[in-house]
């Protein structure tokens, strides 16, 4: 199951030709398959199989209409201190040799030359970003809390499909105001609940800047919390639960810290515990169970978020 989620509302996904079946989707994604960074490149990204148990040319796993895809990002980040020293040494060398000062434009050119020289020897870091495409619910869920990484995945998906009519889920009411009222009234909507000893982040923005108070394992209905809310603070993050999962939601509607409840975890395990499969076959069976039950749980959460904050959806 995804541990975090960015929700993107889509349009008429069941009519998208690329989502006809797993083979069609995989063939489309193969055109933008991941390739290693070239010697002079700082970044490379593309699609990879969602599981090591899958074949190299399988770029999607689709179960009951829901598709799991994975973006891999390779980045070469030159340490700032190393680049700064190399640049400083080069500038000193030129100024001593030519008896002249190196100015801004030349410094920029020298910096670019040094970066090109250092990149082939720079260690690569790799990031994977998963996404669930759920046509029946017209939503794409990206498993990341970085807007940049989520947009990178969507932009490549747009290049892959040629078009991508999606938009980040937008509230029709202020989530901070709605969540604050839950604590003021000491009552949660029927869709979700929270422990009395819970976790919440309160934020106040005024002329002096932004002030944040983070409470963990605290009495969220305490008078002190209500005093903070009355003084202008708002709930910008709170730990909640529904029948399928525990999670934390921000006022941006980004969800993190997702954990299945014991009931859902047992249901996932039950899908494979009596299986005779082994090795990759067993891993794929577990992945399929995760997609089926995880997608249902995440779709349920998406529906609840729409009900609570997106009244026009």
């Amino acid at each position: 199951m995804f541990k975090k989620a960015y929700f993107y509302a889509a349009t008429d996904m069941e009519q998208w030709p690329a989502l006809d079946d797993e083979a069609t989707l995989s063939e489309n994604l193969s055109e933008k398959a991941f390739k290693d960074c070239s010697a002079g490149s700082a970044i490379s990204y593309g699609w990879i199989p969602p599981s090591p148990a899958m074949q190299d040319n399988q770029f999607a796993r689709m179960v009951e209409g829901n598709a799991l895809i994975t973006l891999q990002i390779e980045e070469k980040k030159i340490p700032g201190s190393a680049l700064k020293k190399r640049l400083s040494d080069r500038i000193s060398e030129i100024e001593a040799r030519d008896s002249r000062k190196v100015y801004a434009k030349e410094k920029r050119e020298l910096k670019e030359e040094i970066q090109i020289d250092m990149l082939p020897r720079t260690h690569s870091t790799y990031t994977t970003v998963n996404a669930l495409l759920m046509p029946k619910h017209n939503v794409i869920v990206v498993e990341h809390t970085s807007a940049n990484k989520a947009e990178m995945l969507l932009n490549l998906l747009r290049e892959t499909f040629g078009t991508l009519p999606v938009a980040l889920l937008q509230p029709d009411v202020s989530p901070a105001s709605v969540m604050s009222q839950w604590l003021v009234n000491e009552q949660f909507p029927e869709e979700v609940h929270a422990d009395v000893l819970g976790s919440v982040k309160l934020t106040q923005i005024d002329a002096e800047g932004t002030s944040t108070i983070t409470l963990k394992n605290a009495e969220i209905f305490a008078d002190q919390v209500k005093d903070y809310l009355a003084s202008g603070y708002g709930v910008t993050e709170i730990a909640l639960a529904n029948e399928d999962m525990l999670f934390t939601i921000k006022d941006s509607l980004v969800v993190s810290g997702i954990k299945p409840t014991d009931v859902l975890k047992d249901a996932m395990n039950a899908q494979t515990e009596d299986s005779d499969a082994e090795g990759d076959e067993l891993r794929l069976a577990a992945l399929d169970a995760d997609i089926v039950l995880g997608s249902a749980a995440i779709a349920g959460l998406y529906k609840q978020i729409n009900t609570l904050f997106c009244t026009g959806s």
Side-chain angles (χ1 to χ4, degrees):
M1 176 181 284
F2 280 16
K3 294 180 173 59
K4 42 204 167 187
Y6 250 106
F7 293 99
Y8 289 86
T11 305
D12 297 327
M13 288 182 69
E14 290 186 296
Q15 306 302 317
W16 294 5
L19 299 182
D20 282 347
D21 53 51
E22 182 179 285
T24 302
L25 176 56
S26 187
E27 183 179 354
N28 275 266
L29 297 176
S30 69
E31 297 178 6
K32 299 289 182 179
F34 173 78
K35 296 179 181 178
D36 291 327
C37 264
S38 61
S41 298
I43 186 169
S44 179
Y45 52 93
W47 307 114
I48 62 171
S51 168
M54 297 172 64
Q55 299 297 317
D56 291 344
N57 61 349
Q58 292 179 297
F59 293 95
R61 189 71 174 179
M62 185 178 287
V63 187
E64 296 186 0
N66 299 311
L68 175 66
I69 62 175
T70 301
L71 175 73
Q72 179 159 284
I73 306 166
E74 178 187 3
E75 295 176 279
K76 293 181 179 180
K77 296 181 180 179
I78 300 171
S81 57
L83 179 59
K84 184 177 180 180
K85 185 178 186 308
R86 284 281 297 273
L87 180 59
S88 177
D89 290 347
R90 183 73 176 124
I91 290 172
S92 297
E93 176 188 337
I94 292 172
E95 291 181 338
R97 184 190 65 205
D98 299 344
S99 300
R100 65 179 179 83
K101 187 167 182 62
V102 175
Y103 291 98
K105 181 182 178 182
E106 189 176 0
K107 284 181 181 179
R108 288 195 297 270
E109 293 172 349
L110 288 170
K111 184 177 180 180
E112 291 176 2
E113 290 175 7
I114 292 169
Q115 286 176 316
I116 292 172
D117 180 63
M118 293 180 72
L119 272 175
R121 299 186 298 279
T122 300
H123 177 69
S124 290
T125 59
Y126 294 88
T127 304
T128 55
V129 185
N130 296 314
L132 267 174
L133 283 60
M134 298 194 284
K136 291 180 182 178
H137 302 281
N138 277 321
V139 63
I140 294 177
V141 187
V142 180
E143 189 185 20
H144 218 285
T145 52
S146 162
N148 289 338
K149 293 292 191 293
E151 287 296 330
M152 189 179 293
L153 182 144
L154 289 175
N155 287 336
L156 187 61
L157 198 59
R158 186 173 289 110
E159 289 180 30
T160 302
F161 289 172
T163 183
L164 194 69
V166 301
L168 185 63
L169 185 63
Q170 295 293 334
D172 295 324
V173 295
S174 166
S177 296
V178 172
M179 295 187 293
S180 296
Q181 284 304 306
W182 296 344
L183 302 192
V184 170
N185 298 331
E186 298 188 16
Q187 184 175 4
F188 288 94
E190 63 180 16
E191 292 88 355
V192 297
H193 64 272
D195 292 333
V196 175
L197 288 178
S199 298
V200 63
K201 181 179 287 186
L202 310 175
T203 303
Q204 182 183 51
I205 301 175
D206 54 28
E208 297 181 359
T210 301
S211 176
T212 300
I213 299 170
T214 301
L215 304 173
K216 295 192 176 186
N217 297 318
E219 294 185 16
I220 60 176
F221 296 145
D223 289 341
Q224 184 181 25
V225 173
K226 293 176 183 176
D227 289 343
Y228 284 133
L229 295 173
S231 68
Y233 281 84
V235 174
T236 52
E237 187 174 313
I238 188 168
L240 298 171
N242 60 22
E243 63 180 2
D244 291 319
M245 63 181 74
L246 314 175
F247 59 93
T248 296
I249 187 167
K250 297 182 180 180
D251 60 341
S252 61
L253 304 187
V254 175
V255 177
S256 61
I258 298 174
K259 295 180 182 178
T261 60
D262 290 340
V263 173
L264 181 57
K265 197 182 299 182
D266 290 342
M268 288 178 167
N269 292 335
Q271 297 293 312
T272 56
E273 64 183 4
D274 295 327
S275 173
D276 294 328
E278 297 180 350
D280 285 349
E281 187 179 348
L282 179 60
R283 282 188 280 273
L284 289 176
L287 178 62
D288 289 349
D290 196 353
I291 293 173
V292 171
L293 296 176
S295 294
I298 290 173
L301 176 59
Y302 177 65
K303 182 178 179 180
Q304 289 171 345
I305 291 174
N306 270 286
T307 300
L308 294 170
F309 306 112
C310 308
T311 55
S313 298

